[in-house]
Amino acid sequence: MSLTFHWFLPTNGDSRHVVGGGHGTPATASGRDRPPTVAYLSQIARAAEEVGFAGALTPTGAWCEDAWLTTAMVGQHTERLKFLVAFRPGLISPTLAAQMASTFQRQTGGRLLLNVVTGGENQEQRAFGDFLDKDSRYRRTGEFLHVVRELWHGKTVDLHGEHLRVQGAALSRVPDPVPQVYFGGSSPIAGEIAARHADVYLTWGEPPAQVAEKLDRIRSLAAAEGRTLRFGIRLHVITRDTAEQAWAEANRLLDGFDPQTVASVQAGLARSESEGQRRMLALHGGGSRERLEIHPNLWAGIGLVRGGAGTALVGSHDEVAERIKEYQALGIEEFILSGYPHLEEAYWFGEGVLPRLAAQGLWRHPADKDAAPTAPTTPTEPAVLAPFAG
C-alpha cells in the first residue's frame, strides 16, 4: 500500500515565520510577508505537484481567502494536483454544493476532494448568519451529506429534516468520479457523523497513543454502521539533512513568537468550542514554551500562535520518515502536511523524506506509479523558486 501525501495552500498568507489564525483568531502580521496571490499559491501548488504530493488542502474561514474560488483559479495552473477544498455545510445549500462539486470535477478532470468543516466557533458562524449550536451543526452536517451523496449518485432527493429541507432535488450531470469526503472532529457527535458519511477521517497531530485511541473509537462507530473508513492526519513539518538543523529552525520560529501575540492567541483559542482545539491546547499547556517536544520528533510549538493543527514533525529526514511509519502502523494512510514557508518546505520534504519512503516501498510518485522505488541520494539544499512579489 502506498501512502498518500497532501500539502497545504496558505490562503491566509505565507512567511518565513509562523502565520497564525484560525478558530476565531485573525491571521498574524507575518501573513503579509507573502500575500496569498494566485501567482504565489500556484507556485506552491506546482512545487507540491512536482515533488510528489497528491493534493493540497485549502482552508476555510473568515481569516483566509475563499477555498472554492481560489482552488478553481489555481487549478488552471496545475495538471495533476488534487484540491482538498474545505467548506462549511451550514453556509450553502446542499443541492448547490453538490452542483458546484460536480462542475469542479468536470472542469479540472476529477481533481476535487472535499474537507467538511462543521464549524466550531459560534462567533464566526454567526458572522456568516449561522446561529445553531455545535451539536445542531453536526446534525445538520449529517443531513447535508445525505443529500449531497444521494445527488452525486444520480438520485432525486426529497428531505424534510430537522434542519434542511429540499424537494425534487436532482443534478443534470453527476460528478465523475464522485469526490471523496474528508471529515474531522473529536467530539462524540463528530465521530457519529464521520462514521455514517465520511470516506476519510482526519485527526490533528497528537502523540501516537492518543491517535490510536481516537482511531479505535472511530473504527468501532463505523463498524456499527457497516462501514470502513480510511484515516489521515494533519501535521506541520520541519525536516532537514540533520536533526540539529531541523531543531535550529524550530527554535528560530519559536524565537519569533511575540509573548503578547502568544497570550492573545491563547486567550482566543481558550474560548473555542472545538474538542479538537481543546486537545491541541492541552499538548502545550495553554501557552507554555516548556517541554514542547511531546513525543520524539513531535513539537507542539506551532500551536502557540496558530489555531487548528498545532504540531509539527521535527527532525532529520530519516527521523521524520520513522515517525510517519509510526503513524502508519496505527492505520494512518494519508498525511496532510505544511511548513513555513510553504514553498521551500515542500521541497525539503519532497526531496528529503519521500525518497526514503519510496526506497522502503511505502510511497510512489503519483505521476509514476509503475516506476521502481529509488534509494535516497545524498541530501542537498532544496531547489527553491523565488516567491512572486505582490
Side-chain angles (χ1 to χ4, degrees), residues 351-376:
E351 296 178 347
V353 178
L354 289 182
R356 285 163 166 75
L357 296 173
Q360 298 176 60
L362 298 176
W363 175 81
R364 292 183 187 275
H365 197 295
D368 192 18
K369 292 184 179 296
D370 295 327
T374 57

Side-chain angles (χ1 to χ4, degrees), residues 143-198:
E143 294 179 2
F144 182 99
L145 290 175
H146 167 74
V147 172
V148 167
R149 284 195 175 278
E150 293 287 281
L151 291 172
W152 282 344
H153 287 93
K155 298 180 181 179
T156 298
V157 181
D158 294 302
L159 175 70
H160 193 164
E162 179 185 359
H163 300 288
L164 297 177
R165 183 177 182 180
V166 298
Q167 183 174 334
L171 296 180
S172 61
R173 298 176 67 185
V174 298
D176 183 20
V178 170
Q180 295 284 288
V181 173
Y182 291 65
F183 191 98
S186 297
S187 63
I189 192 168
E192 294 173 13
I193 301 302
R196 295 186 193 126
H197 299 286

